[in-house]
Amino acid sequence: MTALRPSQTSVTLSIVMAVLNEAENILPVCQELAGVLDRLPENTEIVVVDDGSTDATVQKLLEARQQYLPNLRIIGHPRRLGKSAALRTGATAAHGEWMATIDGDGQDDPSSIIRMLELARTANSHPPLVVGVRRKRNDRLSRRVATKLANGLRRRLLNDGCPDTGAPLKLFSREMFLRIPQFEGVHRFLPALLGHYGAPLICHEVQHRARLHGSSKYTNFNRALVGIRDLLGVMWLQNRTHLPDHLTEH
């Protein structure tokens, strides 16, 4: 296994993208990302984690590095491990103080990260979690209904205050993200988990677009069954994780 290379310079922002079989979408997504880099900190890095794709995603990523993003970092899982595992891999490999997540299907507008980073850096508090709340979902009706029901249940049981916990666009302290327990599905519970570690929540409305090509890798039924199990697990974690309000060293 090839070791991940160490950081050579300090990095303000790491944009981490987990992808699975997005060969048709990844080139335009990377091209659009390249177009906003001049409005982000100069030392921003982009890390893409391929979660065991079986199509030409990796080859397209190599093309993207040659054409649009010469410093693009491409990390691959040998097999599919899940989106949360891919984001964890990206966070571990990244070097940024802040970490932003974005999907590789073209539904997210990367220019939203500019304002989200501003909100995070100017917050007069502990490092916040900034969630890109999707103003108008550009998905099938069945998926919109399923998401609305899931978000309502999470908000009621976890009291996380977030109307769109599954939003792909999020920005937060990378160090704080690495402190929370890792499990598949953790990316859908960041408002509750990071909030438990003291991260205030900032909701920022963003544009949501239709997928460029293809379809989601998860069915509504699959999301519902797994989501209920994970929800119970997060409730258990919140109840069993005790953190001090402050520390005193003698």
Side-chain angles (χ1 to χ4, degrees):
M1 180 180 292
T2 303
L4 301 175
R5 65 174 182 267
S7 176
Q8 301 299 316
T9 59
S10 62
V11 175
T12 298
L13 173 66
S14 299
I15 300 175
V16 177
M17 185 192 312
V19 296
L20 172 65
N21 294 335
E22 296 289 3
E24 293 183 295
N25 298 321
I26 202 63
L27 273 176
V29 168
C30 288
Q31 183 180 16
E32 192 173 20
L33 265 174
V36 304
L37 286 181
D38 61 348
R39 289 178 285 165
L40 290 169
E42 185 178 355
N43 56 356
T44 295
E45 68 172 356
I46 299 177
V47 181
V48 179
V49 180
D50 175 67
D51 188 33
S53 292
T54 56
D55 64 359
T57 295
V58 173
Q59 289 85 342
K60 293 297 181 181
L61 283 168
L62 292 171
E63 289 181 31
R65 182 160 64 190
Q66 185 175 30
Q67 297 180 30
Y68 309 121
L69 297 167
N71 296 319
L72 175 64
R73 300 179 60 196
I74 306 167
I75 301 170
H77 285 169
R79 57 183 175 85
R80 180 177 178 177
L81 299 177
K83 184 175 181 178
S84 290
L87 291 176
R88 184 79 172 202
T89 293
T92 304
H95 308 124
E97 173 188 359
W98 298 98
M99 173 174 157
T101 62
I102 186 171
D103 276 356
D105 55 13
Q107 290 193 278
D108 303 319
D109 182 353
S111 66
S112 300
I113 296 173
I114 300 167
R115 178 59 180 156
M116 292 170 70
L117 180 61
E118 290 175 354
L119 290 170
R121 298 178 81 180
T122 57
N124 187 22
S125 62
H126 292 293
L129 163 65
V130 184
V131 176
V133 175
R134 294 165 286 191
R135 181 169 56 247
K136 184 178 180 181
R137 291 290 300 269
N138 204 321
D139 283 321
R140 298 188 309 273
L141 177 62
S142 61
R143 188 168 181 185
R144 295 200 305 269
V145 170
T147 300
K148 185 175 182 178
L149 292 173
N151 279 325
L153 183 62
R154 289 190 194 105
R155 290 180 71 182
R156 179 178 293 273
L157 295 180
L158 298 180
N159 194 29
D160 58 18
C162 185
D164 191 7
T165 57
L169 272 172
K170 295 186 178 78
L171 190 143
F172 43 83
S173 161
R174 185 179 66 89
E175 183 273 335
M176 188 173 289
F177 175 76
L178 289 172
R179 289 177 61 191
I180 64 176
Q182 162 63 20
F183 60 90
E184 185 49 40
V186 70
H187 61 279
R188 295 192 295 270
F189 297 95
L190 291 186
L193 292 170
L194 290 178
H196 199 67
Y197 279 76
L201 174 66
I202 298 176
C203 293
H204 173 65
E205 284 195 351
V206 299
Q207 179 187 9
H208 188 247
R209 307 177 295 199
R211 285 181 62 97
L212 294 175
H213 303 281
S215 59
S216 173
K217 310 302 185 296
Y218 303 96
T219 65
N220 291 330
F221 182 70
N222 176 277
R223 284 171 178 268
L225 290 180
V226 175
I228 291 171
R229 181 191 64 190
D230 291 346
L231 178 58
L232 295 174
V234 171
M235 292 172 65
W236 181 87
L237 282 172
Q238 286 184 314
N239 185 55
R240 301 298 295 171
T241 302
H242 305 292
L243 301 169
D245 294 329
H246 64 276
L247 300 174
T248 302
E249 183 174 351
H250 301 283

